[in-house]
Structures are given as C-alpha cells and as structure tokens.
Amino acid sequence: MSDELLVVRCQLGERDALAELVRTWHKPVWTYVRRMLDAERADDVTQEVWVAVLRGLPRLKEPARFAPWLFTIARRAVADRLRAEYAQPEPQPPGPQGDAFEAALDRAELVGALSALPVRERDVLALFYLEDFSLEDCAQICGIPVGTVKSRLNRARRLLSEHLTRKGYGHELA
C-alpha cells in the first residue's frame, strides 16, 4: 500500500493504517537519527519524531510528500537535541581515556569519520547517500537551495576523504 494512501487513511482515523505507517518508517527514521546521534539519544529522538508525526499528520496537506515531511521532522528533532546539548557544559567522562580499541574495524572507522563531519555536511550526506533522497528532497528537508545541498555534499565527500586518507585508508572518495 502506498504511503499516500496510508496517510489519507490515518487522517481519516484508521488505527491500522497508522500502525502500518509506523512499521514501514520507524527503522529508516531511527537509522537516520542514529547516524546523527548515539544509539541511546536516537531512541529518544525517534520517539519525539513519532509524537510530532501524530500531532502533525492531520494537517499534512500533501500526503504524497510524506517521506520528505517525515524526515524534515526528524532533522528538526535532531537539531533541537544537538542545540540543547551544545547549550549545556560538556560532562567529563569518568576514568582514564585510553586508546585500547585503536585497531577498530573499517566500519567503525567510517562511522567515526562520519561523526567527525560538521553537522550540516553529515546531515546532507546521510539524507542523500544513506537514505537515498534526491537532491530536491534533501533541499526540502533541510530548507536550503539545491545548490547548497550540492556544495555541502561536495564538502562532506572532501572532508570524509581527507579524514580517511589521514587514517591510512588510501584512495580518495571525492
């Protein structure tokens, strides 16, 4: 069943349609949020996203544009969480800081490289490459022009390539 039809059914008050919509989109939303935050915060923020969806779904005027609308909500929830955390002093971790796991797997290095990107670049990169949104959808979700999406993607690829090259992974990505 299409998302558009599910959204219309949700707007008509069908609980089964809402359950199906959540089943379909919960994992992609959590995955996107997880790419921006750690797992514990991703769980909390994903719940916040679904609360916002429940509140806003009756007012969604273009049911066919559900996915970009949903990811716009997710992006805003992540930004709100990061903004709130940046406003607080950073807690100092207990105990000594060691590099016991310096020889991590390639995947762990890539995740680390992604998390080292500035939030704006990481956001666009996650939406475009990892969530498979079009440039236009990324622009709508982020509330920026398509040209800005392209420039942020270019910068993200360059920064990611530089980081991985410094770590000895060789070939450039950009």
Side-chain angles (χ1 to χ4, degrees):
M1 180 174 306
S2 75
D3 291 337
E4 182 177 12
L5 182 57
L6 280 173
V7 168
V8 170
R9 288 180 53 211
C10 288
Q11 289 174 329
L12 294 172
E14 292 185 32
R15 290 179 187 254
D16 291 342
L18 179 61
E20 181 64 26
L21 202 62
V22 172
R23 260 193 308 278
T24 302
W25 285 101
H26 182 76
K27 186 172 181 177
V29 168
W30 184 88
T31 301
Y32 166 72
V33 172
R34 173 60 182 96
R35 288 180 175 129
M36 302 302 290
L37 305 168
D38 61 54
E40 183 179 328
R41 293 185 300 169
D43 290 340
D44 293 343
V45 170
T46 301
Q47 286 181 353
E48 293 169 15
V49 168
W50 286 110
V51 168
V53 167
L54 286 172
R55 289 182 179 145
L57 202 55
R59 294 182 308 278
L60 179 61
K61 293 182 188 327
E62 295 182 61
R65 303 285 301 154
F66 175 74
W69 177 78
L70 173 63
F71 277 82
T72 300
I73 292 171
R75 180 180 181 275
R76 286 183 184 148
V78 167
D80 289 347
R81 176 61 62 99
L82 290 173
R83 207 175 296 115
E85 289 174 4
Y86 289 147
Q88 309 240 337
E90 191 169 321
Q92 297 299 317
Q97 297 271 340
D99 290 335
F101 300 105
E102 202 167 326
L105 299 171
D106 289 346
R107 178 165 167 66
E109 184 61 40
L110 182 58
V111 168
L114 286 172
S115 65
L117 290 175
V119 173
R120 290 178 173 175
E121 283 74 10
R122 183 179 359 145
D123 192 19
V124 171
L125 187 125
L127 288 168
F128 185 75
Y129 286 110
L130 305 175
E131 300 300 332
D132 293 323
F133 279 104
S134 68
L135 291 171
E136 293 77 15
D137 284 345
C138 290
Q140 180 185 351
I141 291 167
C142 295
I144 57 176
V146 172
T148 304
V149 171
K150 290 177 182 178
S151 66
R152 287 184 185 173
L153 281 172
N154 186 40
R155 183 166 188 256
R157 286 190 298 264
R158 182 178 47 78
L159 291 171
L160 190 57
S161 176
E162 289 170 1
H163 178 83
L164 293 174
T165 299
R166 276 193 313 274
K167 294 290 187 173
Y169 286 87
H171 307 327
E172 288 196 19
L173 302 173

